[in-house]
């Protein structure tokens, strides 16, 4: 899996970075001033993996953080990880080549990983459809319940009435006979027309009839009544759980406020034990809430089936079937948990975290005693040396020493590939390790083996710790990264905050070399202020970080990708502007005019060589794009910077299409601007076609084979290292090994044609 | 071996030879058909003659003409060796020229040869290594420009003879073939020659000057060939061809023809 994009919300100074795409070539560089929020971005990404945050990352409004990462997944990966659910879901899974995972935190600062992106959209769509159905059923339940309520009230009323009539009837003189009748005046009953026996009897019958109807309604709906009431019980239980959760959340928020030293009442009176009890209660309440929500949905469904006329028994069978089917379905968290298990791990590189010890006991290495100082560095060293402990079990001390010497040479040579700095003028440092045994005056350790490390140069043999800060940092950095790259069985995304601050400018370039070397195995995101750590030829790697309101260091952090670099402040872009003018060492960066964008760095070399070979003295500054597809992006950047420029395109399908895109999308409706698109004549499919085949062979390829296609086609067909070849060519032109007199008339004519074309651009 | 068997073998051998010769005759016909016919040449040239005399049925020499965008391209080539190997290479040469000249770019004589060399080196997998095949083509190639006043010439070991106002001028070729060069491949030189009406041009393979005489057992030599051209240049083309052929036959006598012969004369 490879990280494609990320988004950080509510994390320190960051409100929302928006979805930011990282460089497709695995090295992403964050530039920006101090306090702009670069480190927060690295930390935000790191907690995506760890899930561990503290209150101090919370923003003042206490909004909870959320980090979203999008990953590219190998073909058929999802299919292999997820069981079939239904045709639609399975089809979606098969069509996806990336996944989005969202790590979000709750009030107790515990987090959960959910799926996002298309899979989440799908789940939500399904849920929304179901929710609609549940809402409709809910409405029906409400109506039914109110009918039920009325019927019950009516029943009560009718029962009361019936009872009262019964009493009257029972007390009626005609029924009671002489004694009672005798005691009352005749007129008492005579005047009360309603209380005549006849009337009372009629009313009794009428009321009983109505009551029968109500009873019959209640009887008919008895099964419905029980399920609706059961549902209502769950609903009210959920309501009280939600209320409880609100209360706990409020207490947690108060705690966050206290911890972040903001405002609000202190909860310090809570002991640690009591506080943990609160957190436990929060967790159990959340889980209860989730259970009740699910239960409520199922009960609502059951009501719906019964409303639709299914007998309760059949409705329950149908519900069970649905429940079984839904058991197969994934919920966002489940998908998040499954897929995050394989996603790359973000890890912050610790400065000096892998500093070689002067000495480490073999016993500690063998027993994985990680608490011992220098353990990690020593392990990294052994990984790089491709050694395991069996290596040291060589019975012959002489052979072992020879093997160690050979290894020292190899390790040093590997290291020197990257660290090209000298001690003095010619002296390069060497990394050595030795196996030795404690002498008898070391007590219990006597006779036990240990490894000793040295960083040597011709003048001195010093322990690693005795070396300069720069050497120590680079050595630690080198060991950590190279070892991580070697053992990367799970993809690692290394987050490096301002690498090489203690290094000389040239040594900083060595840091870039290490990044380049490991980028196939490890993705790297690093922050820097140094122009030496930004590759001018790879502007697509840059994300500019700055505060939304430049005057207020408390304002939120914003990120600007390469397409929006034009919106970044000059201070943010200062590392870029330091290098933009100096891609080949002797050219100045023009902010006004004479800038010509070319398709890539190979062409950039060729163009500079062409200008030099023709002896053209005018001002032309070539700016390499990363590839022809990035030309529109480069145009946008330069436009943002208010620079005037032209685009030089070669006659190949891709660049002809780019010309169309530029006309449509970049130079739209601006009179005269389309003249800034220069398309080379048909025979020049790329910059190397400016040379005759013969010169191409003699001066660039240095071969004598017959070439029957264009130079550019030959490079493509044979997968030759174009940038390398053309940069070497430029080097030889610059140092005078190749001059105009080495060119044949065809090459000379082509180069003059190029200059004539470029001269037209003012 | 008895006589009967010997007779049978000789019959089989004669049959095989007959088949072989038939094939060669047929191959010769195909090779001829790849070269421009007289009517085509008459259409693009004011006047011309071709003296084409293969040593065997098929030849390592070939002539070529092409017209595109107002440019007329004429060439006379001589492939290493003769007979079948030479003929096969000549067919490659003709097909390479066809490919190159179909390009829409403005033809330059030297660039045509440069490109042709790339194709030959590629086809024969020549990379300048010591033990590889060194087969190649010598060729003289002219591009007559549409303005009618300039002819470009480039030569790979084969010169161009031009006769103007009775004066013979030889334009020297580059001393390298179409194929891997002895040391390194450099660009062929493009000669731009101002021409006027009545100027005559001659391209030829080395078969004529290298022919040994029956009488003296000496080569005819380029010096004599130049004199011969100088002598006949203001004659009609048909007469020139007759005379050149006559001189060749007289010189050769009954000696063996050492190589394929091609002499091409034309007026634009």
């Amino acid at each position: 899996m490879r990280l494609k994009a990320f988004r950080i919300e509510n994390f320190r100074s960051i409100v929302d970075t928006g979805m930011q795409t990282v460089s497709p070539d695995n090295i992403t560089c964050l530039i920006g001033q101090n306090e702009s929020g670069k480190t927060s971005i690295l930390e935000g990404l790191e907690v995506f993996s760890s899930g561990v945050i503290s209150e101090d990352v919370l923003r003042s409004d206490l909004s909870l953080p959320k980090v979203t990462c999008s990953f590219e997944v190998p073909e058929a990966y999802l299919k292999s990880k997820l069981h079939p659910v239904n045709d639609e879901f399975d089809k979606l899974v098969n069509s996806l080549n990336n996944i989005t995972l969202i790590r979000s935190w709750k009030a107790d600062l515990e987090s959960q990983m959910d799926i996002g992106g298309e899979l989440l959209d799908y789940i939500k769509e399904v849920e929304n459809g179901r929710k609609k159905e549940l809402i409709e059923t809910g409405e029906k339940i409400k109506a039914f319940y109110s009918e039920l309520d009325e019927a019950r009230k009516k029943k009560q009323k009718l029962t009361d009435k019936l009872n009262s009539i019964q009493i009257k009837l029972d007390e009626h003189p005609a029924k009671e006979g002489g004694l009672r009748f005798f005691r009352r005046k005749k007129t008492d009953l005579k005047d009360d027309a309603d209380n005549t026996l006849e009337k009372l009897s009629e009313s009794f019958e009428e009321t009983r009839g109505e009551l029968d109807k109500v009873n019959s309604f209640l009887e008919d709906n008895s099964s419905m009544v029980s399920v609706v009431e059961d549902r209502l019980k769950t609903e009210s239980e959920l309501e009280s759980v939600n209320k409880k959760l609100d209360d706990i959340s409020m207490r947690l928020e108060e705690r966050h406020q206290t911890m972040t030293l903001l405002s609000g009442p202190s909860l310090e009176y809570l002991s640690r034990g009591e506080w943990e009890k609160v957190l436990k209660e929060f967790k159990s309440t959340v889980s209860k809430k989730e259970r009740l929500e699910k239960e409520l949905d199922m009960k609502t469904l059951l009501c719906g089936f019964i409303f639709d006329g299914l007998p309760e028994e059949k409705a329950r069978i149908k519900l069970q079937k649905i429940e079984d089917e839904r058991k197969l379905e994934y919920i966002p968290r489940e998908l998040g948990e499954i897929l995050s298990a394989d996603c790359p791990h973000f890890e912050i590189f610790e400065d000096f975290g892998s500093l070689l010890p002067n000495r480490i006991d073999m016993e500690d290495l063998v027993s994985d005693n990680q608490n011992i100082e220098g353990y990690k560095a020593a392990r990294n060293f052994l990984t790089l040396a491709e050694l395991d402990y069996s290596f040291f079990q060589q019975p012959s001390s002489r052979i072992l020493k020879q093997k160690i010497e050979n290894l020292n040479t190899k390790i040093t040579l590997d290291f020197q590939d990257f660290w090209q700095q000298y001690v003095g003028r010619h002296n390069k440092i060497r990394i050595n390790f030795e196996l030795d045994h404690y002498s008898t005056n070391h007590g219990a350790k006597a006779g036990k083996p240990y490894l000793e490390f040295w960083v040597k140069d011709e003048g001195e043999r010093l322990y690693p710790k005795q070396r300069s800060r720069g050497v120590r940092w680079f050595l630690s950095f080198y060991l950590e990264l190279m070892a991580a790259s070697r053992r990367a069985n799970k993809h690692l995304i290394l987050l490096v905050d301002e690498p090489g601050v203690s290094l000389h400018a040239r040594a900083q370039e060595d840091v870039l070399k290490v990044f380049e070397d490991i980028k196939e195995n490890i993705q790297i995101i690093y922050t820097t202020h140094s122009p030496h750590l930004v590759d001018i030829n790879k502007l697509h790697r840059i994300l500019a970080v700055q505060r939304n309101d430049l005057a207020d260091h408390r304002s939120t952090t914003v990120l600007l990708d390469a397409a929006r670099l034009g919106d970044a402040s000059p201070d943010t872009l200062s590392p870029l502007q330091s290098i933009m003018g100096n891609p080949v060492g002797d050219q100045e960066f023009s902010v006004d005019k004479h800038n010509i964008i070319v398709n890539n760095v190979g062409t950039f070399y060729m163009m500079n060589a062409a200008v030099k070979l023709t002896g053209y003295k005018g001002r032309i500054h070539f700016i390499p794009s990363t590839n022809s597809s990035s030309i529109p992006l480069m145009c946008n950047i330069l436009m943002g910077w208010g620079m005037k420029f032209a685009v030089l395109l070669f006659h190949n399908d891709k660049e002809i299409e780019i010309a169309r895109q530029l006309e449509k999308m970049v130079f739209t409706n601006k009179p005269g601007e389309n003249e800034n698109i220069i398309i080379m004549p048909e025979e020049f499919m790329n910059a190397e076609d400016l040379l005759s085949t013969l010169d191409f062979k003699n001066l660039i390829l240095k071969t004598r084979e017959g070439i029957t296609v264009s130079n550019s086609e030959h490079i493509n067909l044979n997968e030759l290292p174009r940038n390398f070849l053309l940069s070497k060519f430029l080097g030889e032109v610059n140092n005078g090994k190749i001059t105009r007199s080495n060119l044949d008339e065809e090459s000379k004519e082509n180069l003059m044609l190029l200059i004539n074309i470029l001269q037209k651009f003012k | 071996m008895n006589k009967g068997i010997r007779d049978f073998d000789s019959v089989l051998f004669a049959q095989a030879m007959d088949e072989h010769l038939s094939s060669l005759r047929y191959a010769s016909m195909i090779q001829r058909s790849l070269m421009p016919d007289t009517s085509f040449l008459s259409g693009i040239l004011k006047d011309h003659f071709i003296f084409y005399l293969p040593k065997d049925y098929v030849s390592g020499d070939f002539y070529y003409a092409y017209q595109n965008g107002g440019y007329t391209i004429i060439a006379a080539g001589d492939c290493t060796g003769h007979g079948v190997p030479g003929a096969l290479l000549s067919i490659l040469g003709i097909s390479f020229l066809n490919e190159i000249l179909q390009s829409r770019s403005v033809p330059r004589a030297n660039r045509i040869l440069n490109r042709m060399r790339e194709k030959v080196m590629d086809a024969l997998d020549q990379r300048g290594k010591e033990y590889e095949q060194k087969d190649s083509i010598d060729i003289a190639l002219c591009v007559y420009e549409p303005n009618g006043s300039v002819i470009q010439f480039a030569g790979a070991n084969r010169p161009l003879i031009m006769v103007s106002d009775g004066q013979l001028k030889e334009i020297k070729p580059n001393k390298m073939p179409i194929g891997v060069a002895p040391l390194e491949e450099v660009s062929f030189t493009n000669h731009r020659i101002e021409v006027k009406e009545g100027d005559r041009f001659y391209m030829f393979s080395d078969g004529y000057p290298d022919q040994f005489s029956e009488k003296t057992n000496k080569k005819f030599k380029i010096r004599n060939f130049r004199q011969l051209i100088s002598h006949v240049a203001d004659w009609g083309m048909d007469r020139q061809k007759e005379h050149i052929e006559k001189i060749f036959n007289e010189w050769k006598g009954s000696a063996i023809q050492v190589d394929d012969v091609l002499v091409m004369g034309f007026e634009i």
Side-chain angles (χ1 to χ4, degrees):
Chain A
M1 276 198 213
R2 199 185 70 80
L3 176 71
K4 282 181 76 180
F6 68 85
R7 177 182 184 180
I8 302 172
E9 292 164 82
N10 304 320
F11 192 89
R12 294 194 191 277
S13 59
I14 302 163
V15 171
D16 186 354
T17 61
M19 208 63 182
Q20 297 293 333
T21 307
V22 298
S23 164
D25 66 1
N26 289 353
I27 301 177
T28 301
C29 171
L30 303 175
I31 59 167
Q33 288 175 277
N34 288 327
E35 291 293 316
S36 58
K38 299 188 296 296
T39 307
S40 298
I41 289 169
L42 299 189
E43 287 172 350
L45 291 172
E46 198 259 338
V47 296
F48 174 84
S49 287
S50 69
V52 180
I53 61 167
S54 60
E55 278 88 353
D56 59 2
V57 307
L58 300 181
R59 293 186 51 74
S60 54
D61 64 359
L62 299 179
S63 313
L64 290 161
K66 189 156 101 173
V67 183
T68 306
C69 288
S70 169
F71 299 95
E72 194 176 81
V73 294
E75 207 184 322
Y77 165 79
L78 288 174
K79 202 179 170 186
S80 70
K81 280 280 156 186
L82 306 176
H83 61 69
V85 173
N86 58 48
D87 287 350
E88 208 180 337
F89 179 83
D90 299 346
K91 202 174 158 191
L92 174 66
V93 161
N94 289 341
S95 70
L96 291 179
N97 53 12
N98 59 64
I99 54 164
T100 302
L101 294 170
I102 304 165
R103 165 90 69 187
S104 57
W105 282 261
K106 293 193 290 280
D108 61 349
L109 301 191
E110 289 289 313
S111 69
Q112 70 177 48
M113 189 75 94
D114 292 301
I115 193 73
E118 284 148 306
L119 284 170
L120 180 65
D121 290 346
Y122 170 82
I123 293 172
K124 273 186 179 169
E125 200 185 316
V126 172
E127 273 178 3
N128 286 342
R130 286 174 185 166
K131 215 167 258 173
K132 206 177 153 194
E133 199 182 323
L134 290 173
I135 288 170
E136 279 169 15
T137 311
E139 291 298 321
K140 280 186 197 167
I141 292 169
K142 215 169 156 189
F144 172 76
Y145 195 74
S146 114
E147 204 181 341
L148 185 72
D149 198 35
E150 256 176 42
R152 280 173 171 164
K153 279 179 191 160
K154 198 173 172 184
K155 181 182 174 179
Q156 187 59 48
K157 215 171 157 186
L158 289 171
T159 310
D160 292 348
K161 193 178 171 186
L162 207 60
N163 287 340
S164 121
I165 297 169
Q166 186 67 52
I167 291 165
K168 281 180 185 172
L169 275 173
D170 290 347
E171 288 175 352
H172 200 280
K175 268 197 154 185
E176 286 200 359
L179 183 65
R180 288 184 117 179
F181 187 74
F182 173 77
R183 285 179 189 166
R184 297 183 71 171
K185 287 179 183 175
K186 199 178 177 183
T187 50
D188 289 346
L189 292 168
K190 203 179 180 180
D191 292 341
D192 189 355
D194 287 341
N195 288 335
T196 61
L197 187 61
E198 194 182 341
K199 285 272 179 193
L200 282 171
S201 298
E202 273 174 23
S203 174
F204 184 84
E205 285 310 315
E206 195 182 322
T207 308
R208 196 163 59 187
E210 278 181 53
L211 188 59
D212 285 349
K213 273 186 200 168
V214 172
N215 280 334
S216 156
F217 169 79
L218 291 172
E219 185 100 347
D220 289 349
N221 289 291
S222 63
S223 64
M224 175 66 89
V225 171
S226 74
V227 290
V228 166
E229 282 187 334
D230 187 34
R231 183 194 170 277
L232 280 173
K233 202 176 143 198
T234 309
E235 195 173 41
S236 86
E237 205 179 338
L238 181 61
E239 263 170 34
S240 71
V241 166
N242 277 335
K243 196 173 168 301
K244 188 177 173 188
L245 205 56
D246 286 346
D247 290 344
I248 305 173
S249 298
M250 202 173 284
R251 293 178 77 188
L252 290 170
E253 201 167 294
E254 281 171 12
R255 158 95 175 182
H256 299 329
Q257 281 176 338
T258 313
M259 297 300 282
T260 50
L261 302 175
L262 298 168
S263 54
S266 166
L267 290 183
E268 278 169 355
Y269 56 87
L270 282 178
S271 70
R272 191 188 166 94
E274 286 165 325
W275 178 244
E276 273 171 11
K277 207 172 146 192
V278 174
L279 290 175
K280 207 172 162 188
E281 202 181 348
F282 177 80
K283 246 180 231 166
S284 68
T285 315
V286 167
S287 131
K288 191 172 181 187
K289 177 190 158 138
E290 285 172 356
R291 182 182 54 77
L292 284 173
E293 278 173 345
K294 207 174 161 190
E295 208 175 301
L296 183 66
D297 285 353
M298 286 296 133
K299 285 180 177 173
T300 308
L301 265 184
L302 181 69
C303 292
F305 297 152
I306 296 173
F307 276 131
D308 290 345
L310 273 185
E312 190 184 343
E313 197 182 341
K314 284 192 173 172
R316 286 195 185 277
I317 292 169
K318 189 175 176 183
L319 186 72
Q320 188 57 51
K321 203 176 159 196
I322 288 176
E323 266 189 296
D324 290 345
E325 277 171 11
R326 289 192 184 173
K327 269 180 198 161
L328 279 177
E329 291 176 2
Y330 289 105
I331 59 167
R333 190 170 56 197
E334 200 181 354
L335 278 177
E337 276 164 11
I338 294 170
L339 300 177
S340 64
D342 289 331
C343 82
H345 185 76
F346 289 95
E347 198 173 297
I348 289 189
F349 166 74
E350 279 176 54
D351 281 342
F352 303 103
S354 190
L355 187 59
L356 276 177
N358 298 346
R359 175 185 291 188
I360 190 163
D361 293 354
M362 280 301 290
E363 199 175 356
D364 289 326
L365 280 173
V366 175
S367 62
D368 270 345
N369 187 355
Q370 299 186 17
N371 299 323
I372 284 291
E373 189 194 349
Y375 169 84
K376 192 177 172 191
R379 281 297 304 267
N380 285 339
F381 185 90
L382 295 181
T383 305
L384 273 192
E386 294 170 359
L387 291 186
D388 57 23
Y389 308 125
S390 62
F391 173 83
F392 298 100
Q393 289 166 357
Q394 167 64 245
S396 160
S397 152
R398 186 182 58 80
I399 292 174
L400 186 60
K401 281 194 172 160
Q402 183 58 50
K403 278 186 172 177
I404 288 175
E405 206 175 310
N406 294 345
L407 265 176
N408 280 333
T409 310
K410 184 183 175 296
I411 291 164
T412 295
L413 284 175
D414 288 348
F415 178 71
Q416 285 176 354
D417 275 348
F418 295 98
W419 178 259
Q420 298 196 337
Q421 313 311 307
Y422 287 91
V423 179
R425 192 168 285 180
H426 304 294
N427 195 357
K428 279 195 161 188
I429 57 169
R430 301 193 302 273
I431 309 170
N432 280 15
F433 78 105
E434 286 165 12
L435 178 73
D436 214 334
H437 295 81
Y438 286 106
S439 61
T440 46
N441 52 12
H442 279 86
K445 283 189 175 182
K448 288 191 174 171
Y450 63 85
L451 290 182
E452 198 159 40
F453 295 94
W454 302 96
V455 182
K456 294 161 124 180
D457 60 59
E458 279 171 18
E460 278 181 299
R461 172 186 165 106
L462 298 173
Y463 282 125
K465 282 182 185 171
Q466 291 173 299
R467 283 288 170 186
S468 71
R469 186 178 167 80
V471 168
R472 278 186 285 139
W473 184 89
F474 191 85
L475 187 55
S476 166
F477 166 81
Y478 172 82
L479 286 176
E480 183 80 24
L481 268 66
M482 298 305 267
S485 157
R486 297 270 172 95
R487 60 172 177 257
N489 49 7
K490 186 176 171 184
H491 204 85
L492 180 69
I493 301 169
L494 199 67
L495 309 164
V496 191
D497 198 10
E498 293 187 30
V501 280
S502 50
L503 296 178
H504 180 271
R506 281 198 186 139
Q508 288 186 343
E509 287 164 10
D510 292 344
V511 169
L512 271 187
K513 269 188 259 164
V514 175
F515 285 162
E516 291 287 348
D517 193 73
I518 62 170
K519 71 176 183 194
E520 293 309 317
N521 293 333
I522 296 179
Q523 277 183 276
I524 300 137
I525 301 174
Y526 69 100
T527 70
T528 192
H529 296 283
S530 167
H532 301 282
L533 281 165
V534 180
D535 189 339
I536 177 63
N537 301 318
K538 285 160 186 163
L539 280 182
H540 61 276
R541 289 180 173 175
I542 294 167
L543 287 176
V545 187
Q546 66 181 40
R547 295 283 178 165
N548 203 6
D549 176 0
L550 293 169
D552 179 7
H553 77 280
R554 291 181 71 90
S555 81
T556 58
T557 291
V558 289
L559 258 95
L560 304 164
D561 61 18
R564 294 198 302 146
L565 282 181
D567 297 338
S569 74
D571 284 338
T572 302
L573 295 176
S574 62
L576 278 192
Q577 288 178 342
S578 307
I579 53 169
M580 278 293 275
N582 196 21
V584 284
D586 60 352
Q587 291 192 9
E588 279 184 17
F589 182 60
S590 167
V591 289
D592 296 331
K593 45 190 177 177
H594 310 294
N595 298 303
I596 294 175
I597 298 176
V598 292
N599 57 21
N600 55 34
V601 68
T603 300
F604 168 84
Y605 295 136
M606 184 66 212
M607 291 294 113
N608 281 294
V611 168
K612 182 122 184 169
L613 284 168
T614 53
Y616 179 66
K617 298 287 177 215
R619 286 184 68 190
I620 300 179
H621 181 257
F622 296 101
I623 299 175
S625 183
T626 46
N627 54 47
S628 46
S629 327
S630 309
I631 289 175
L633 177 69
M634 181 61 87
C635 291
N636 283 327
I637 294 172
L638 297 193
M639 274 180 172
W641 288 350
M643 290 167 56
K644 285 186 180 166
F645 61 92
V647 182
L648 179 68
L649 297 169
F650 285 87
H651 215 108
N652 56 57
D653 292 348
K654 228 177 185 179
E655 288 180 53
I656 296 291
E657 179 52 34
I658 293 292
R660 277 193 212 111
Q661 276 182 31
L662 291 175
E663 278 170 18
K664 269 191 197 168
M665 295 156 65
V666 180
F667 298 120
T668 47
N669 303 323
K670 292 169 191 167
E673 279 201 339
N674 284 345
E675 291 162 18
N676 293 340
I677 305 171
I678 304 164
I679 303 176
M680 289 297 284
E682 199 178 2
E683 56 268 38
F684 304 108
M685 288 189 278
N686 213 339
E688 53 273 32
D689 296 331
L690 286 164
L691 292 183
S692 68
T693 309
L694 200 60
D695 284 343
F696 175 66
K697 287 199 304 180
N698 290 343
L699 306 175
I700 293 183
L701 300 184
K702 320 228 181 217
T703 60
R704 291 179 71 185
E705 65 194 302
I707 296 179
T708 59
V709 290
S710 70
N711 303 339
S712 51
E713 282 172 310
H714 183 77
I715 283 184
N716 288 338
L717 289 172
N718 294 283
E719 295 176 353
L720 299 176
R722 181 174 181 266
N723 290 354
F724 170 76
L725 290 169
L726 296 181
S727 108
K728 210 160 156 248
F729 176 62
L730 173 63
E732 290 185 355
V733 170
N734 279 338
N735 65 27
K737 272 190 188 164
I738 297 173
T739 64
R740 192 177 152 77
S741 65
N742 295 107
L743 302 178
D744 66 18
E745 54 85 31
E746 186 180 348
S747 301
K748 282 181 196 158
E749 195 175 294
N750 291 345
L751 296 186
M752 284 319 294
L753 173 81
L754 170 78
I755 295 297
N756 288 337
I757 290 172
L758 296 181
Q759 271 179 328
K760 286 179 196 155
F761 165 65
K762 301 286 178 197
Chain B
M1 196 184 287
N2 65 36
K3 187 174 177 294
I5 292 173
R6 274 205 308 272
D7 287 349
F8 183 66
D9 278 352
S10 60
V11 167
L12 282 182
F13 179 73
Q15 277 177 357
M17 279 305 288
D18 191 44
E19 271 179 35
H20 183 60
L21 290 174
S22 299
S23 295
L24 281 173
R25 266 185 232 111
Y26 193 62
S28 160
M29 229 165 69
I30 292 171
Q31 191 185 25
R32 288 276 186 143
S33 73
L34 291 173
M35 292 187 245
D37 57 24
T38 312
S39 62
F40 176 72
L41 289 171
S42 300
I44 60 169
L45 302 169
K46 194 173 170 190
D47 207 352
H48 76 281
F49 76 83
I50 310 279
F51 174 42
Y52 180 69
L53 189 65
K55 179 180 184 294
D56 305 307
Y57 284 92
V58 286
S59 168
D61 289 359
F62 67 94
Y63 52 95
Y64 180 86
Y66 191 87
Q67 203 166 38
N68 188 8
Y71 289 85
T72 305
I73 295 96
I74 310 134
D78 176 0
C79 304
T80 47
H82 49 77
V84 175
L88 288 175
L89 196 50
S90 77
I91 289 169
L92 260 188
I94 291 167
S95 97
F96 288 157
L97 280 170
N98 281 333
E99 269 178 46
I100 294 163
L101 291 168
Q102 272 162 20
S103 141
R104 274 188 281 173
S105 57
V106 176
R108 300 279 175 81
N110 65 330
R111 292 188 195 176
I112 295 168
L113 295 196
N114 285 341
R115 279 170 182 57
M116 193 176 171
R117 176 170 55 197
E118 295 301 328
K119 286 177 181 284
V120 169
M121 286 174 72
D122 179 56
L124 302 180
D125 198 23
Q126 294 173 333
R127 289 159 185 267
K129 303 276 183 262
E130 202 178 337
Y131 300 108
E132 70 194 9
Q133 285 280 22
K134 297 283 190 289
D135 292 310
S136 60
I137 303 172
D138 292 343
I139 193 169
L141 182 138
C142 292
V143 176
Y144 181 53
E145 295 187 355
N147 59 21
S149 62
V150 172
I151 205 165
Q152 301 171 30
F153 165 73
N157 286 332
R158 301 305 314 148
L160 173 72
I161 290 178
M162 173 188 177
V163 181
S164 178
D165 296 330
Q167 294 297 309
L168 182 142
K169 193 177 164 191
E170 185 178 331
I171 297 110
K172 299 277 183 200
N174 289 100
K175 288 195 172 168
M176 53 188 176
I178 301 293
V180 67
L183 290 175
E184 62 164 342
E185 293 76 39
V186 294
S187 177
F188 288 97
T189 311
N190 202 43
H191 300 273
R192 284 177 62 81
I193 307 152
E194 298 286 330
V195 295
K196 59 179 191 302
E197 210 176 326
D199 289 349
R200 285 176 167 187
F201 303 90
Y202 299 88
M203 299 190 291
F204 51 99
S205 66
D206 57 4
Y208 203 114
D210 283 355
Q211 179 58 48
F212 285 90
S213 161
E214 178 197 7
K215 293 170 190 161
T216 62
N217 198 28
K218 282 187 177 168
K219 281 186 181 178
F220 188 74
K221 290 192 180 163
I222 187 73
R223 185 164 45 86
N224 292 328
F225 185 74
R226 274 192 220 112
Q227 276 179 6
L228 173 64
I229 295 295
S230 194
H231 177 68
V232 300
D234 58 347
W235 298 359
M237 287 292 182
D238 290 343
R239 196 177 155 208
Q240 286 190 36
K241 182 188 171 186
E242 271 173 34
H243 188 72
I244 287 169
E245 193 171 352
K246 184 171 154 262
I247 295 294
F248 181 79
N249 288 329
E250 281 174 8
W251 179 262
K252 181 173 83 73
S254 61
I256 296 166
Q257 183 180 335
V258 292
D259 200 355
D260 302 315
V261 171
L262 170 67
V263 181
M264 188 181 185
F266 61 91
E267 183 183 341
I268 296 181

